[in-house]
Amino acid sequence: MAKNIFTQENFAKLDEVIAEHKGQKGALMPILHEAQKIFGCVPLEVQKRISEALNMPMAEIYGVVTFYTQFTLEPKGDYVIGVCLGTACYVKGAQKIIDKIKELAKVEVDGTSADGKFSLVATRCIGACGLAPVLTVNEDVYGRLVESDVPGILAKY
Ligand code: FES
């Protein structure tokens, strides 16, 4: 990704956020949320800064960042497409939906398209099994999908 996210300005914002939360119980989560917003992701360089400021081991921070899907190690695209691969969705053909998105948006699972427009992630059950198979684009939810719905959905973005 060409855009430099490691600007002094971004790190200064991060330092402010850290200063605000430091010393509070459970400070890590809100700091990571803000970091994700500021940088568009929480890469190792950012984790290192947080680790030093909070005096918390890198491994612990890395564990949290990689556990929660709202945090990413690399910048996400403008639109994040999540395809549910929970059991109900999987049984109803979620894999075919993923394959179609990969083909049309030119994006790999856990990757971002070269133009920075779409990222694709496979998610766990999002609790809309009645609508299986389900996909989300940022905040929008689409259900009862068939492969031929994919072009129309992508065209909206
Ligand atoms: S399995 Fe996809 S919403 Fe539940």
Side-chain angles (χ1 to χ4, degrees):
M1 204 107 329
K3 203 164 79 185
N4 178 24
I5 51 171
F6 300 117
T7 58
Q8 276 189 352
E9 198 192 337
N10 281 351
F11 276 109
K13 280 191 210 157
L14 177 65
D15 289 343
E16 260 174 52
V17 170
I18 293 172
E20 233 172 81
H21 294 278
K22 203 176 170 176
Q24 291 170 5
K25 226 179 132 203
L28 183 60
M29 284 304 274
I31 292 173
L32 290 177
H33 271 288
E34 289 303 318
Q36 174 78 42
K37 270 198 239 160
I38 295 168
F39 293 90
C41 54
V42 193
L44 292 178
E45 291 84 342
V46 173
Q47 293 176 32
K48 188 157 177 277
R49 184 81 147 223
I50 299 172
S51 150
E52 283 163 3
L54 295 185
N55 216 347
M56 191 182 262
M58 275 288 277
E60 200 173 312
I61 296 175
Y62 184 81
V64 173
V65 169
T66 49
F67 181 79
Y68 292 98
T69 49
Q70 69 256 47
F71 304 131
T72 54
L73 292 169
E74 285 173 20
K76 285 198 220 177
D78 298 336
Y79 301 103
V80 179
I81 307 171
V83 180
C84 174
L85 277 187
T87 311
C89 290
Y90 189 78
V91 167
K92 295 223 168 164
Q95 188 60 48
K96 280 195 190 135
I97 304 292
I98 288 196
D99 292 342
K100 197 75 195 167
I101 295 168
K102 279 163 79 174
E103 178 195 327
L104 293 176
K106 305 209 171 8
V107 61
E108 292 299 319
V109 176
D110 288 332
T112 298
S113 59
D115 60 5
K117 190 164 177 191
F118 291 112
S119 292
L120 176 60
V121 291
T123 68
R124 282 173 274 190
C125 176
I126 60 164
C129 308
L131 296 176
V134 176
L135 77 76
T136 53
V137 183
N138 292 355
E139 311 296 312
D140 305 334
V141 181
Y142 300 90
R144 301 215 171 87
L145 296 168
V146 290
E147 264 176 277
S148 57
D149 292 330
V150 174
I153 293 172
L154 292 181
K156 292 189 191 177
Y157 298 95

